[in-house]
Amino acid sequence: MTELEIFAKTLFGEARGEKLSGIEAVANVILNRVKHAIQIGNYWWGKTIEEVCLKPFQFSCWNKADPNYTLLTQNLDDNKVYQLCKRVAKRAITGFLTDNTNGATHYHTKSIHPQWARRAVPCADIGQHLFYALY
């Protein structure tokens, strides 16, 4: 898979039920992680879009036990939502995506309350996700 396909499939797996702003927000989290890693020379989650997307246990859609994983292994070219995710990924890669998350590097759905977010203050609330600038 190409970087664009990995990026688009990550957006599809993580945010396909969101409006455009929610899909863009997840794309911005990925970009913000890459930006942070480049600024400091490297970071544990990787310093490329591909490394960040595929880092184990960071984006649950890539966990083999996750129900979304099976979808990501299929050809999604005829899926309209995947095509939207691909357009967002292209805009992000080429620098035409405005950060609507205020620098977020992490997020979770509003239906859960992970340990890492208990003392953190969200920097954005978009769709069904809360976003955090943690680094």
Side-chain angles (χ1 to χ4, degrees):
M1 273 189 288
T2 67
E3 177 183 69
L4 175 62
E5 291 169 323
I6 291 168
F7 198 179
K9 285 188 175 194
T10 303
L11 300 179
F12 181 79
E14 295 287 316
R16 72 179 171 280
E18 294 289 324
K19 293 181 181 178
L20 177 61
S21 61
I23 295 168
E24 291 174 336
V26 173
N28 280 309
V29 166
I30 294 165
L31 292 180
N32 289 336
R33 286 184 175 200
V34 170
K35 180 180 176 183
H36 178 68
I38 290 170
Q39 284 175 342
I40 64 169
N42 204 357
Y43 205 68
W44 64 267
W45 56 50
K47 63 180 180 180
T48 67
I49 289 170
E50 183 176 349
E51 289 172 350
V52 167
C53 288
L54 298 179
K55 182 70 176 179
F57 307 108
Q58 293 305 296
F59 294 95
S60 61
C61 64
W62 291 108
N63 297 340
K64 290 186 180 178
D66 190 287
N68 290 302
Y69 181 78
T70 303
L71 285 173
L72 303 186
T73 62
Q74 298 173 10
N75 182 333
L76 298 170
D77 289 339
D78 293 332
N79 186 298
K80 289 180 182 182
V81 177
Y82 174 69
Q83 290 304 319
L84 173 62
C85 292
K86 202 169 184 178
R87 287 193 299 276
V88 170
K90 281 181 189 177
R91 286 180 34 232
I93 289 169
T94 57
F96 289 102
L97 185 63
T98 302
D99 187 356
N100 62 350
T101 69
N102 300 308
T105 53
H106 294 72
Y107 69 94
H108 65 80
T109 65
K110 293 176 184 175
S111 64
I112 64 168
H113 301 284
Q115 180 79 23
W116 60 262
R118 290 205 176 135
R119 292 198 168 120
V121 177
C123 58
D125 180 341
I126 302 168
Q128 295 303 310
H129 295 100
L130 294 174
F131 294 83
Y132 303 83
L134 304 174
Y135 42 78

